[in-house]
Amino acid sequence: MIAGGTERSPRPATRVELFIGKGGVGKTTLACATALAYARNGRRVLLASLDQAHSLGDALGYRLRHGATPAVATLPLPMFHSPAPAFADVRDPDAEPALDVIEVDSLALLEDRFRQVLVMASGAGHEHGFDLGALDPAELTGLPGVQELLAMLEITQFANDARWDVIVVDCPPSADMLRIVTAPDTVLGYLERVWPAHARTMEAIGTDFRKAVLAVTVEQIVQAVMEARDLLADQVRTGARLVTAAELVAVAESARVRSAAALLGIRLDAVLVNKVLPEMPAPHPVEPPHPAVQWYFNRRGEQLDVAGELRRRLRGVPVQVVAHAGAEPVGLGSLAALSYAVDASGNWVGGRPVPMLGTDADSVLPGLERSTAAEPVVGLESGAGVHSVFAMRMHLPVVDPSTLRLGRVEDDLIVGADGVRRRLRLAPVLRRCTVEAAELDGDHLVIRFRPDPQVWPK
């Protein structure tokens, strides 16, 4: 209850915003500024880094603690006013806004979790176990996706704790981020093939205490991994903002990231073109401009051309221009000043719009929402019975059609494009079908299936 006896409405689930992109494009700076903008508007914010080359502390001007136990630092923000009135019912109105920060140490997490498994699997205190002491946690760092998965499990736990309204995640460079996104399905796929769920269940209720403990432990791991996978694929709670440089080579890279996000089911909220030179007064109409001035205008024109090309290539995704801040924004004060270019929804609004670029609405096709990375849709296209034709349609803006690959493994469909693959569980009706044809229809992949007479119900 709040003042006046009014019942407080349920708190919305914690949202997760992923800042992705290549290294050196300014992900950390923009993630910090966005998190500060949310805090300035009264939201409870956790700013987290998944990059092993952590730089949040450097950007904020604080030294952050690392370790297996989550060490969330709370930074006071006296430069901002009290929380916005809309949030007065969920926060102390007399408290100053603050920002919670953590740099997730996945290596320390790996060592700690491995020791926990060792204790459980070795059967400490009894003789029903097996010796895994020959393994060293450092050896596991070579396994692809292990550290990335542990880091994502931490973020999932933070999101489930509901202590924060939004979690802003400074992600590692694109290649490492792809491993984070694909790690849950990879681990679940391996576990299912090595030790299927029905076999684990039988062992868990069996008489062999050692196997029962191990089965329960593995099942707990599976549930945690499934929660991480579901959070990443949640189109309502989780979204990504792609940070890119205003360079021509970034256009193709951004298009490939968009393709990967669509294939992997990640909602791409916006593309942030970082460090675009701000507008300057036009040079004197008669006197020739200084070479430095001429270079400035030429360079700004090139950057705006890149932003315009991104708008044309990435139709359906807002492309937002982030002006060059001049001096590098380091420390809470500088980042807090930069945060005023971000509105309450996390969109970079900056200063005046650039007429030649249009608005964000211009890059969104009519009838399309910002989120087009939805799960595949299956429908009956024609016919009936064994003569039916079913069509599966999924959003997939492929950059290079020659990279498109399809495969079938039991009840799963393997889809690959632009160097990324995803394993999709087929709808029940399609599991008794064979693939007849596939084609790209604009930004969508359409796959047609026909019933297999050998297994189709008579």
Side-chain angles (χ1 to χ4, degrees):
M1 303 290 286
I2 58 176
T6 304
E7 186 175 351
R8 180 184 297 171
S9 59
R11 185 188 306 283
T14 302
R15 293 189 299 106
V16 178
E17 290 192 6
L18 308 172
F19 276 73
I20 61 177
K22 296 181 67 174
V25 295
K27 294 190 306 295
T28 300
T29 298
L30 300 195
C32 289
T34 301
L36 286 166
Y38 284 136
R40 190 183 71 246
N41 283 278
R43 289 178 171 84
R44 300 173 307 163
V45 187
L46 173 64
L47 175 61
S49 170
L50 298 186
D51 195 341
Q52 283 306 292
H54 295 300
S55 56
L56 276 186
D58 298 332
L60 294 167
Y62 282 83
R63 183 176 180 180
L64 304 175
R65 292 193 300 116
H66 297 155
T69 302
V72 178
T74 300
L75 310 184
L77 305 175
M79 69 286 294
F80 296 146
H81 297 296
S82 297
F87 298 90
D89 62 328
V90 296
R91 296 188 63 172
D92 182 355
D94 297 325
E96 290 289 342
L99 177 67
D100 291 337
V101 184
I102 185 171
E103 292 179 336
V104 178
D105 189 342
S106 60
L107 181 58
L109 283 172
L110 176 61
E111 295 175 349
D112 180 69
R113 301 301 186 267
F114 182 72
R115 292 190 182 96
Q116 292 178 15
V117 172
L118 269 181
V119 170
M120 297 188 70
S122 63
H126 58 76
E127 297 180 356
H128 299 283
F130 31 77
D131 183 18
L132 297 178
L135 288 177
D136 188 277
E139 297 179 64
L140 299 179
T141 60
L143 296 177
V146 172
Q147 286 182 255
E148 291 85 354
L149 177 60
L150 284 172
M152 193 61 220
L153 291 180
E154 285 296 297
I155 297 300
T156 304
Q157 184 174 339
F158 292 145
N160 292 339
D161 285 346
R163 289 173 53 190
W164 298 278
D165 301 306
V166 59
I167 300 175
V168 177
V169 183
D170 178 27
C171 295
S174 301
D176 294 332
M177 186 58 201
L178 285 177
R179 284 197 292 271
I180 290 178
V181 175
T182 56
D185 277 330
T186 300
V187 170
L188 291 173
Y190 283 137
L191 281 175
E192 187 60 26
R193 288 195 290 275
V194 173
W195 199 3
H198 67 273
R200 297 196 301 267
T201 301
M202 294 303 296
E203 296 293 358
I205 61 177
T207 57
D208 189 320
F209 183 77
R210 178 198 62 181
K211 291 183 179 179
V213 170
L214 185 59
V216 170
T217 303
V218 171
E219 194 59 34
Q220 291 174 344
I221 294 173
V222 167
Q223 292 301 318
V225 173
M226 289 178 63
E227 287 184 5
R229 179 196 62 187
D230 294 343
L231 177 63
L232 284 169
D234 192 326
Q235 296 286 309
V236 176
R237 297 180 63 188
T238 305
R241 297 180 187 271
L242 172 60
V243 182
T244 185
E247 306 285 349
L248 282 175
V249 295
V251 175
E253 168 70 14
S254 299
R256 286 192 291 269
V257 171
R258 181 202 184 193
S259 172
L263 180 57
L264 298 174
I266 303 297
R267 189 188 77 211
L268 187 58
D269 289 334
V271 174
L272 307 179
V273 187
N274 195 22
K275 297 182 180 179
V276 175
L277 296 174
E279 186 178 7
M280 295 287 286
H284 194 279
V286 178
E287 298 180 2
H290 188 278
V293 175
Q294 189 63 51
W295 174 89
Y296 187 98
F297 279 93
N298 289 343
R299 180 64 187 128
R300 173 173 160 79
E302 292 170 355
Q303 292 180 322
L304 295 182
D305 287 342
V306 170
E309 182 63 20
L310 283 169
R311 286 180 182 271
R312 287 187 288 272
R313 291 282 298 273
L314 307 184
R315 297 284 284 176
V317 179
V319 176
Q320 299 167 356
V321 172
V322 181
H324 200 297
E328 185 177 5
V330 176
L332 274 179
S334 297
L335 290 169
L338 183 61
S339 76
Y340 283 93
V342 186
D343 66 16
S345 299
N347 295 310
W348 284 78
V349 293
R352 295 183 299 170
V354 182
M356 64 178 290
L357 294 181
T359 66
D360 286 333
D362 296 333
S363 65
V364 181
L365 294 174
L368 283 181
E369 298 179 358
R370 288 192 179 186
S371 171
T372 50
E375 289 299 306
V377 177
V378 177
L380 175 63
E381 197 169 64
S382 63
V386 294
H387 303 293
S388 302
V389 176
F390 297 96
M392 186 178 82
R393 187 179 182 89
M394 62 182 296
H395 181 248
L396 187 58
V398 177
V399 176
D400 184 359
S402 67
T403 64
L404 184 62
R405 298 288 186 273
L406 294 178
R408 178 79 177 266
V409 178
E410 298 177 345
D411 293 336
D412 293 349
L413 184 70
I414 310 298
V415 182
D418 296 323
V420 178
R421 286 194 300 177
R422 182 185 180 189
R423 186 167 179 157
L424 296 165
R425 176 66 60 158
L426 288 172
V429 69
L430 300 182
R431 297 173 192 173
R432 298 171 182 254
C433 298
T434 58
V435 175
E436 181 186 57
E439 64 176 351
L440 288 171
D441 180 14
D443 284 346
H444 288 80
L445 172 64
V446 181
I447 307 172
R448 291 181 174 84
F449 297 78
R450 280 191 180 275
D452 183 348
Q454 301 298 322
V455 295
W456 193 258
K458 303 297 184 183

